Amino acid sequence: MKNVLLTVEYDGTNFAGWQRQPSVRTVQGVLEEGLSTVCGYPVTVEGASRTDAGVHALGASAGFRGDFGIPVERIPLAVNHIFRGRTPSPGVNGDLRIVQAREVPADFHPRFDAKGKKYRYIIRNRKEMPVFLRNYRYHVEKPLDVEQMKSAAAQVVGTHDFACFQATGSYPRRTTVRTVYFLSVEEGREGDIVIEVGGDGFLYNMVRIIAGTLTDVGLGKIPPEAMADIIAGRDRSRAGHTAPPQGLYLVEVYYQEA
């Protein structure tokens, strides 16, 4: 019985999120379908992170266990061939790819052994945005003050109770305390503003709420010095709006050497 860790990338536009659901196309469902075809029996995949509909991934992690004949290192080639040649939804082809497959110890779990995650959020801050980027950027027409956004972002870094950045009505957590290792705001190309954040874990919609709050700071709706008080208040209503999913990318899941 092999324990396999996968690194996958996907365009979330035509997925109803990560988690398997009946009658809708999800990343987990399509991934399990491809792996089951290659392995010759039903495969169940465990993901390290559950992304929402429309959210993308450059380096998501998932694992599965099985007794199969194909060499582990050839799994990406075989499954990606199926993904490229099959269209589960009209007009969709090749929007999910296994980047790497490697065998890990028997007691390794892709979610419980994760030490942290890195996300990227991209805002197109121009009056106009190409139609071809509508699924990959958050379009904000009014100019954003990046220096004010940076000032607010600096106050998020550290270990805090981040209840203010958790979506209302979320499933109750044992604790809403998390550690944010870094949070950067940089001006990119073509009018993009790139927000990157890494931490030991994130609450439901936490990154999108951080991005929305920083956007409101950049628009002058929230003063940057208020960020520390917003966090200390633990009140979702005091933070900014939830930025839309299409600007969000899961960049990497961190592990100790497995």
Side-chain angles (χ1 to χ4, degrees), residues 122-140:
I122 306 180
I123 300 168
R124 176 53 63 98
N125 190 212
R126 281 192 173 181
K127 188 69 176 176
E128 303 291 342
M129 184 174 75
V131 66
F132 301 106
L133 291 179
R134 71 191 186 283
N135 294 321
Y136 310 103
R137 301 287 190 276
Y138 175 23
H139 186 202
V140 178

Side-chain angles (χ1 to χ4, degrees), residues 132-174:
F132 301 106
L133 291 179
R134 71 191 186 283
N135 294 321
Y136 310 103
R137 301 287 190 276
Y138 175 23
H139 186 202
V140 178
E141 296 184 28
K142 294 182 179 179
L144 295 173
D145 188 326
V146 175
E147 292 306 313
Q148 296 284 74
M149 294 170 72
K150 288 182 177 181
S151 177
Q155 300 170 57
V156 178
V157 177
T159 301
H160 307 285
D161 186 328
F162 284 111
C164 67
F165 294 144
Q166 179 175 248
T168 303
S170 297
Y171 185 81
R173 302 292 186 115
R174 183 178 59 85

Side-chain angles (χ1 to χ4, degrees), residues 89-199:
S89 300
V92 178
N93 196 352
D95 55 359
L96 170 63
R97 186 175 79 95
I98 299 178
V99 178
Q100 182 188 57
R102 63 187 179 103
E103 190 169 359
V104 290
D107 61 351
F108 182 88
H109 192 282
R111 179 159 63 96
F112 300 134
D113 285 324
K115 301 304 179 186
K117 299 170 187 174
K118 176 182 177 181
Y119 287 91
R120 180 177 300 149
Y121 196 92
I122 306 180
I123 300 168
R124 176 53 63 98
N125 190 212
R126 281 192 173 181
K127 188 69 176 176
E128 303 291 342
M129 184 174 75
V131 66
F132 301 106
L133 291 179
R134 71 191 186 283
N135 294 321
Y136 310 103
R137 301 287 190 276
Y138 175 23
H139 186 202
V140 178
E141 296 184 28
K142 294 182 179 179
L144 295 173
D145 188 326
V146 175
E147 292 306 313
Q148 296 284 74
M149 294 170 72
K150 288 182 177 181
S151 177
Q155 300 170 57
V156 178
V157 177
T159 301
H160 307 285
D161 186 328
F162 284 111
C164 67
F165 294 144
Q166 179 175 248
T168 303
S170 297
Y171 185 81
R173 302 292 186 115
R174 183 178 59 85
T175 177
T176 48
V177 174
R178 298 291 186 272
T179 299
V180 171
Y181 302 137
F182 63 86
L183 175 57
S184 64
V185 182
E186 301 294 340
E187 295 185 79
R189 300 172 56 187
E190 303 293 332
D192 284 345
I193 295 175
V194 181
I195 299 169
E196 291 199 339
V197 58

Side-chain angles (χ1 to χ4, degrees), residues 190-236:
E190 303 293 332
D192 284 345
I193 295 175
V194 181
I195 299 169
E196 291 199 339
V197 58
D200 62 356
F202 294 89
L203 304 168
Y204 182 55
N205 275 352
M206 180 172 167
V207 178
R208 289 170 57 191
I209 296 171
I210 289 174
T213 303
L214 291 176
T215 299
D216 285 343
V217 169
L219 291 171
K221 297 179 179 180
I222 297 175
E225 60 271 16
M227 185 65 88
D229 288 338
I230 290 172
I231 295 172
R234 304 178 63 249
D235 183 352
R236 171 67 188 94

Side-chain angles (χ1 to χ4, degrees), residues 56-84:
H56 314 292
L58 306 175
S61 294
F64 74 99
R65 300 171 188 270
D67 187 8
F68 44 83
I70 182 173
V72 170
E73 66 273 11
R74 292 189 61 82
I75 288 175
L77 181 66
V79 177
N80 291 339
H81 179 74
I82 294 173
F83 290 159
R84 287 194 300 270

